[in-house]
């Protein structure tokens, strides 16, 4: 996101993007960096600013997803403990069991789709080579 000193994008706009990512509202973000709300709203209409903000949001979400993916082992252990804990309420044990089934089925469906995509890509590649 950093464009360098003196760039057309500007340090204040970079600060605005960071503020937009960390504050609850446009008003709060504008106030945090000492600009007016209308100025920030105007900047959001500038394609370069809007694209940089969208990229920063995407990167933030990707980082959050990566953190969640790192916790899947602990989540799986928790679900399995709840499912097998005879002291847990029946509704909790049932929901944990349903979760295990749901995720197992989703995993198989994803593997099936991946295999079909690979087969389609191979067929398309074979057809493309045959036409030359």
């Amino acid at each position: 996101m950093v464009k360098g000193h003196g760039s057309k994008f500007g340090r204040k706009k970079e600060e605005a993007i960071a503020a937009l990512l960390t504050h609850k509202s446009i008003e709060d973000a504008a106030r945090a960096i000492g600009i007016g709300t209308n100025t920030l709203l105007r900047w959001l209409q500038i394609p370069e600013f809007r694209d940089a903000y969208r990229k920063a949001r995407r990167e933030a979400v990707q980082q959050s997803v990566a953190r969640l993916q790192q916790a899947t082992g602990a989540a799986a252990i928790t679900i399995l403990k709840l499912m097998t804990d005879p002291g847990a309420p029946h509704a909790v044990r049932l929901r944990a069991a349903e979760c295990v089934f749901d995720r197992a089925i989703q995993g198989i469906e994803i593997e099936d789709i991946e295999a079909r995509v690979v087969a389609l890509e191979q067929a398309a590649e074979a057809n493309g080579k045959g036409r030359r």
Side-chain angles (χ1 to χ4, degrees), residues 58-112:
R58 186 177 300 112
E59 289 171 359
V61 169
Q62 288 171 340
Q63 289 173 2
S64 296
V65 168
R67 282 194 296 271
L68 291 174
Q69 287 172 331
Q70 291 171 346
T72 58
I77 290 168
T78 300
I79 292 168
L80 294 174
K81 281 183 179 179
L82 287 169
M83 184 180 76
T84 58
D85 180 2
H90 293 301
V92 170
R93 293 178 62 201
L94 175 61
R95 182 65 194 120
E98 288 172 341
C99 183
V100 169
F101 271 115
D102 289 346
R103 298 309 178 263
I105 290 168
Q106 284 176 350
I108 290 171
E109 290 171 346
I110 289 170
E111 288 174 2
D112 290 348

Side-chain angles (χ1 to χ4, degrees), residues 26-27 30 35-46 49:
I26 292 173
E27 294 81 9
I35 63 170
T37 301
N38 287 335
T39 298
L40 187 49
L41 288 169
R42 233 180 359 264
W43 289 355
L44 284 164
Q45 300 304 311
I46 300 169
F49 183 86

Side-chain angles (χ1 to χ4, degrees), residues 12-44:
K12 201 66 167 177
K13 289 181 182 172
E14 292 172 5
E15 291 175 11
I17 289 172
L20 284 166
L21 293 173
T22 57
H23 290 81
K24 293 180 183 182
S25 68
I26 292 173
E27 294 81 9
D28 289 347
R31 192 170 23 260
I33 62 166
I35 63 170
T37 301
N38 287 335
T39 298
L40 187 49
L41 288 169
R42 233 180 359 264
W43 289 355
L44 284 164

